[in-house]
Amino acid sequence: MHILLDAGRTQLDRWFPGFSDGMLSRGAVLADVGSTAAFYLNGHRKVPVPGNEVISSTRPFLESYVHSRLAECGNVVFRKGRARGLRFDSGRVSGVLFSGGDDADGSETLSSDLVVDAMGRSSRLGEWLAGAGWQPPALERLHVDLGYATALFTRDPADSGMLAVHSLSLPDSGMPRLASMAAVEGNRWIVVVTGYARERPVRDTEDFLERCRQDPSGHFGKAVGLERMLGGVATYRHPDNRRRAFSRLSRFPGGLVALGDSVASFNPIYGQGMSSAGLHAACLDEYLRGGPSLSEPARDYFENVDKVVAAAWQTSAASDALLPHSSATPTRQDRAAKVVMDAVLRASLVDREVHRRFLDVANMRAHPNTLLRPGTLLRVARRWRTDVSPV
Ligand SMILES: Cc1cc2nc3c(=O)[nH]c(=O)nc-3n(C[C@H](O)[C@H](O)[C@H](O)COP(=O)(O)OP(=O)(O)OC[C@H]3O[C@@H](n4cnc5c(N)ncnc54)[C@H](O)[C@@H]3O)c2cc1C
């Protein structure tokens, strides 16, 4: 399941006018947190917040639509291949070594003014830099050991009820469980269940269905009872969140930037990855519009990306560092942030304004620190005793 948060959708609409409409006309599904999308905490539904829309589709659908829109740009050429290294010239990157096409073992060089590393969380850029005598960016890892299990189901289009449901359970064990289901293209449901460490879901249909039945919102058990599973259960393991500190490097070549997961990769349950990549691309846009010298290190770019990364990391890091199996040493700040976030989650069950502010942060429209403003904290404190015991 890949949820496109508002922040990412805004960037895609900016670069590809009519992007959201194009997605919807091709079969993606629009849900509104005021009516057809619902969030649950321990089985209690959070108060609806009209006007907060979510577009759901499968990731391949979204990716192929981005690809088709990009292909319409006259100055874009696609080359299929595997990047194998960089060419350096007088303190800057001047090309990419790659192999591709029919000659998978061969090597070609593509000359460039600017190389963008978008190779994802396993990017080998650090090794390539080190191999050429440059400093690699420090890599910070936060162990989370999250497991995803996903399956597709039929969906009766005549059923005009919920189109997206996200149900978070916070048991006393301290191991959160998330179940998410969303209507996607082709009259299907995509359904996901997650668990950490020893509670990770396995690739087993019965385990999957049982987890759906156990979800306290009731939507999952009902859907998997009524609908037919299409194909099997797919699992994915996310061992750690990662970020690379490019902005702290004292020596970095010109002609090179990195974005997306190659800079930072987060716990996927927060759905921040694609939108973060979109915001990094917005930083690159702004940097290039400033007419920089591309032979100089892109320091301004990396400083702006750092701000985006820090905000996204802040949303999830405290909760992740406090997972019972985490090897991280949580700071007092992490503990305080977790207490506030749990209280915000509780208050958002009953206080529409708190829920709206929470959704602004969750959609990356607002900085997480906005939840610490006195007005919000006061509202949250008034709802301190909201009952969240499991239903
Ligand atoms: C289970 C799961 C659920 C997620 N859910 C969400 C969600 O709901 N919402 C959300 O926004 N994000 C979600 N994410 C995160 C999201 O997938 C990533 O943040 C996003 O894809 C990052 O985009 P990227 O382009 O930086 O990297 P990627 O999407 O990883 O793309 C990197 C690409 O580079 C290619 N590549 C790598 N090395 C080379 C090479 N040497 N030469 C050529 N090509 C290379 C790879 O094949 C890949 O195609 C989820 C991730 C997972 C794993």
Side-chain angles (χ1 to χ4, degrees), residues 1-3 59 81-83 118-120 148 236 260-261 268 271 273-274:
M1 174 178 287
H2 269 70
I3 302 292
R59 165 77 186 234
R82 170 170 290 272
M119 291 183 288
Y148 257 58
Y236 179 83
D261 274 20
M274 297 188 299

Side-chain angles (χ1 to χ4, degrees), residues 228-256:
R228 185 167 46 87
M229 191 186 277
L230 301 164
V233 175
T235 50
Y236 179 83
R237 188 171 184 178
H238 175 87
D240 52 32
N241 307 340
R242 299 179 180 181
R243 60 175 163 176
R244 293 181 170 93
F246 284 96
S247 66
R248 293 216 300 271
L249 292 173
S250 53
R251 279 183 70 239
F252 194 74
L256 177 68

Side-chain angles (χ1 to χ4, degrees), residues 262-299:
S262 70
V263 178
S265 150
F266 310 97
N267 183 334
I269 68 169
Y270 296 90
Q272 297 170 312
M274 297 188 299
S275 295
S276 289
L279 291 169
H280 299 173
C283 294
L284 184 56
D285 182 26
E286 191 184 316
Y287 171 70
L288 293 176
R289 279 174 200 277
S293 160
L294 295 180
S295 42
E296 298 298 318
R299 298 210 181 280

Side-chain angles (χ1 to χ4, degrees), residues 300-381:
D300 293 351
Y301 165 75
F302 281 117
E303 271 165 28
N304 281 338
V305 164
D306 234 24
K307 291 177 196 147
V308 176
V309 170
W313 189 268
Q314 187 178 334
T315 302
S316 60
S319 301
D320 287 348
L322 282 157
L323 288 168
H325 60 282
S326 171
S327 50
T329 313
T331 59
R332 271 166 55 187
Q333 230 178 352
D334 287 337
R335 290 184 197 286
K338 174 88 166 65
V339 169
V340 172
M341 189 49 88
D342 285 354
V344 167
L345 288 176
R346 274 199 305 276
S348 60
L349 283 173
V350 287
D351 186 317
R352 181 165 289 126
E353 186 53 28
V354 173
H355 193 190
R356 191 184 62 72
R357 291 177 198 178
F358 168 77
L359 288 174
D360 282 345
V361 171
N363 273 294
M364 302 178 79
R365 287 189 295 252
H367 193 278
N369 285 349
T370 56
L371 294 175
L372 301 177
R373 287 187 182 147
T376 307
L377 288 179
L378 198 63
R379 293 188 87 102
V380 167

Side-chain angles (χ1 to χ4, degrees), residues 52-330:
N52 272 272
E53 294 175 339
V54 196
I55 292 188
S56 310
S57 72
T58 60
R59 165 77 186 234
F61 177 93
L62 172 63
E63 211 161 285
S64 83
Y65 186 50
V66 172
H67 196 279
S68 72
R69 293 295 303 262
L70 200 54
E72 287 167 12
C73 302
N75 58 349
V76 174
V77 176
F78 294 97
R79 297 286 299 266
K80 196 167 179 177
R82 170 170 290 272
R84 296 198 179 274
L86 299 172
R87 184 179 68 193
F88 294 86
D89 264 325
S90 332
R92 57 160 299 168
V93 169
S94 63
V96 177
L97 316 179
F98 81 105
S99 55
D102 297 332
D103 185 14
D105 294 327
S107 194
E108 292 180 54
T109 305
L110 200 60
S111 295
S112 67
D113 293 324
L114 179 67
V115 171
V116 181
D117 168 18
M119 291 183 288
R121 58 185 263 123
S122 304
S123 165
R124 301 205 45 224
L125 183 65
E127 283 104 310
W128 295 350
L129 285 169
W134 295 90
Q135 259 177 301
L139 172 64
E140 178 181 352
R141 293 178 177 211
L142 178 57
H143 171 75
V144 289
D145 196 12
L146 170 74
Y148 257 58
T150 309
L152 288 158
F153 288 81
T154 54
R155 183 175 78 86
D156 180 357
D159 177 0
S160 57
M162 281 299 156
L163 297 171
V165 180
H166 304 283
S167 173
L168 178 66
S169 298
L170 298 174
D172 292 338
S173 66
M175 299 282 237
R177 280 187 172 203
L178 179 74
S180 287
M181 57 190 277
V184 293
E185 78 279 2
N187 291 325
R188 293 173 298 169
W189 287 111
I190 189 163
V191 182
V192 169
V193 292
T194 75
Y196 289 97
R198 60 180 188 278
E199 296 185 1
R200 273 186 290 113
V202 290
R203 211 170 89 199
D204 174 81
T205 303
E206 196 39 51
D207 176 72
F208 185 88
L209 296 176
E210 187 51 29
R211 284 170 187 261
C212 288
R213 288 182 209 114
Q214 281 174 5
D215 180 79
S217 75
H219 288 280
F220 294 79
K222 187 173 156 215
V224 303
L226 288 175
E227 303 290 354
R228 185 167 46 87
M229 191 186 277
L230 301 164
V233 175
T235 50
Y236 179 83
R237 188 171 184 178
H238 175 87
D240 52 32
N241 307 340
R242 299 179 180 181
R243 60 175 163 176
R244 293 181 170 93
F246 284 96
S247 66
R248 293 216 300 271
L249 292 173
S250 53
R251 279 183 70 239
F252 194 74
L256 177 68
V257 295
L259 56 69
D261 274 20
S262 70
V263 178
S265 150
F266 310 97
N267 183 334
I269 68 169
Y270 296 90
Q272 297 170 312
M274 297 188 299
S275 295
S276 289
L279 291 169
H280 299 173
C283 294
L284 184 56
D285 182 26
E286 191 184 316
Y287 171 70
L288 293 176
R289 279 174 200 277
S293 160
L294 295 180
S295 42
E296 298 298 318
R299 298 210 181 280
D300 293 351
Y301 165 75
F302 281 117
E303 271 165 28
N304 281 338
V305 164
D306 234 24
K307 291 177 196 147
V308 176
V309 170
W313 189 268
Q314 187 178 334
T315 302
S316 60
S319 301
D320 287 348
L322 282 157
L323 288 168
H325 60 282
S326 171
S327 50
T329 313

